[in-house]
Amino acid sequence: MALLSRIYFNAVFGALGGLLGWMLFGVFGNKSASSDQFTSQLLMGGAFIGASIGYFVVSVEAIRDRSLLRFVRLAAYGVLLGLVGGAGGIFVGEWVNYAIVDWIASHRGSPVLHLFGAMFARGLGWMFLGVTVGFSEGIAARSLGKFSYGTLGGAIGGFVGGMLFGLALEKANVASDRASFWGALGLIILGACIGSLSALVQSVFQPASVKVMRGWQEGREYPLDKVDNSLGRDEHSDIALFRDMKVEKKHAIIQREGQRYLLLNHDAPSEWTRVNDRPVLQLCELHDGDRIQLGNVVLRFQGRAALERKRKNKR
């Protein structure tokens, strides 16, 4: 359920980003632009779309945590890198599309081949946006794991979403009276694919996680994709545990050492820092299924082996 919830939220917020990008371009874009202004309008449209999708996808975790400071920081990365990725992606997609269309026309290709070529071109172009969204997720979280897995997931999502966007665009060219509808639908699908597939790939490859069993955000699962994963009430914590005053702002750290995970008490009272009901004065090694209690919040540690068993049991 935690995985499905994460994919769902990323898909919804990615779709909202795609819709917002379409609306912004509709408001600020120049529909009567001349051919000389085509390239600038194209880049501006891609920038709006990329910035909007990056804004929502990168900041979705902060939105779920209702953490304003984290939201501002993550959203800034998403907007800036998404803007670059969107502008570059739409330019690459358009250039590849023209090259493929000219090649198909010169070889008298079939309409089906023309459609596939257009979809493939858009997929390649928007894959560039997916990569930059993955970049920004990793950079914002200061996590090499999120950087690599997010980039891979974003690339896959951008390519799949771009292919579907290309299909919607071809439909818009045929049904000119409903071009706006198909354009909006294509961007919504693009954003949803980037968000959901990025979350899916990160979840599949995450080395370990903790799940909230009791307390704020009960049922939420947090990946442990950094060497040092901070836990506490501080808004900059990797695992934010709000609404419990017995949890210190910087309560503890879960540290990865090779294949081992250690819980380090960050000068918090030992009676409110427990693993399997045993107080932790300084540090404690974690194993699959261990029950971590910080204040009144209860977490369950899940190592890689436990996560793989869980997925097998669901099949």
Side-chain angles (χ1 to χ4, degrees):
M1 288 299 292
L3 172 59
L4 292 177
S5 175
R6 187 176 178 186
I7 293 172
Y8 167 78
F9 276 103
N10 272 48
V12 168
F13 281 97
L16 286 173
L19 180 60
L20 177 62
W22 174 79
M23 293 172 65
L24 288 173
F25 186 59
V27 172
F28 296 104
N30 183 5
K31 296 185 175 94
S32 58
S34 64
S35 58
D36 295 337
Q37 299 173 313
F38 175 76
T39 300
S40 61
Q41 287 293 305
L42 187 72
L43 292 174
M44 184 175 72
F48 276 131
I49 295 163
S52 300
I53 293 176
Y55 171 81
F56 278 102
V57 172
V58 176
S59 61
V60 62
E61 295 299 319
I63 294 172
R64 293 182 66 188
D65 282 335
R66 301 173 197 175
S67 173
L68 179 60
L69 291 178
R70 286 185 68 204
F71 170 76
V72 171
R73 179 168 61 86
L74 296 179
Y77 282 107
V79 168
L80 292 175
L81 291 176
L83 185 147
V84 174
I90 201 168
F91 182 79
V92 170
E94 200 69 23
W95 181 80
V96 174
N97 182 52
Y98 279 131
I100 290 176
V101 168
D102 287 344
W103 183 85
I104 292 173
S106 64
H107 289 77
R108 298 181 181 180
S110 66
V112 174
L113 185 60
H114 174 86
L115 175 61
F116 179 78
M119 292 171 62
F120 182 75
R122 305 299 178 184
L124 285 180
W126 288 118
M127 184 171 69
F128 189 73
L129 170 60
V131 167
T132 56
V133 170
F135 279 173
S136 53
E137 283 191 283
I139 293 171
R142 300 182 180 92
S143 167
L144 180 60
K146 187 178 280 288
F147 181 90
S148 54
Y149 305 143
T151 299
L152 176 60
I156 296 171
F159 183 75
V160 173
M163 290 270 288
L164 296 174
F165 172 76
L167 180 61
L169 210 59
E170 289 300 307
K171 184 68 176 177
N173 292 333
V174 174
S176 56
D177 57 326
R178 302 186 68 188
S180 295
F181 168 78
W182 287 107
L185 181 62
L187 290 178
I188 288 171
I189 293 171
L190 172 67
C193 285
I194 291 176
S196 60
L197 288 173
S198 176
L200 176 61
V201 171
Q202 289 181 57
S203 298
V204 168
F205 287 104
Q206 71 186 25
S209 69
V210 290
K211 184 175 182 179
V212 181
M213 308 306 293
R214 187 182 72 201
W216 168 250
Q217 298 281 44
E218 185 172 320
R220 179 85 175 272
E221 188 173 313
Y222 293 91
L224 301 174
D225 47 20
K226 298 172 65 175
V227 174
D228 293 322
N229 303 271
S230 58
L231 301 90
R233 283 190 296 110
D234 190 278
E235 292 221 19
H236 294 292
S237 296
D238 299 305
I239 301 169
L241 305 175
F242 301 139
R243 299 190 179 183
D244 186 349
M245 298 309 294
K246 290 178 180 177
V247 175
E248 302 291 329
K249 284 194 173 183
K250 297 180 180 179
H251 198 109
I253 294 172
I254 296 180
Q255 187 177 81
R256 185 173 75 237
E257 289 188 356
Q259 299 299 316
R260 301 169 64 220
Y261 283 85
L262 305 173
L263 177 73
L264 281 63
N265 188 337
H266 201 276
D267 295 328
S270 58
E271 63 268 25
W272 295 117
T273 311
R274 296 172 174 268
V275 174
N276 298 329
D277 291 327
R278 292 192 297 272
V280 177
L281 297 175
Q282 291 183 323
L283 60 88
C284 175
E285 184 172 356
L286 298 173
H287 302 91
D288 291 340
D290 277 354
R291 183 178 182 271
I292 303 168
Q293 183 174 349
L294 306 180
N296 292 313
V297 177
V298 176
L299 309 166
R300 185 177 67 208
F301 174 76
Q302 300 176 126
R304 181 73 184 171
L307 293 171
E308 289 176 352
R309 284 198 303 270
K310 192 165 119 182
R311 292 190 187 105
K312 287 179 182 177
N313 291 334
K314 288 183 178 180
R315 291 175 184 171

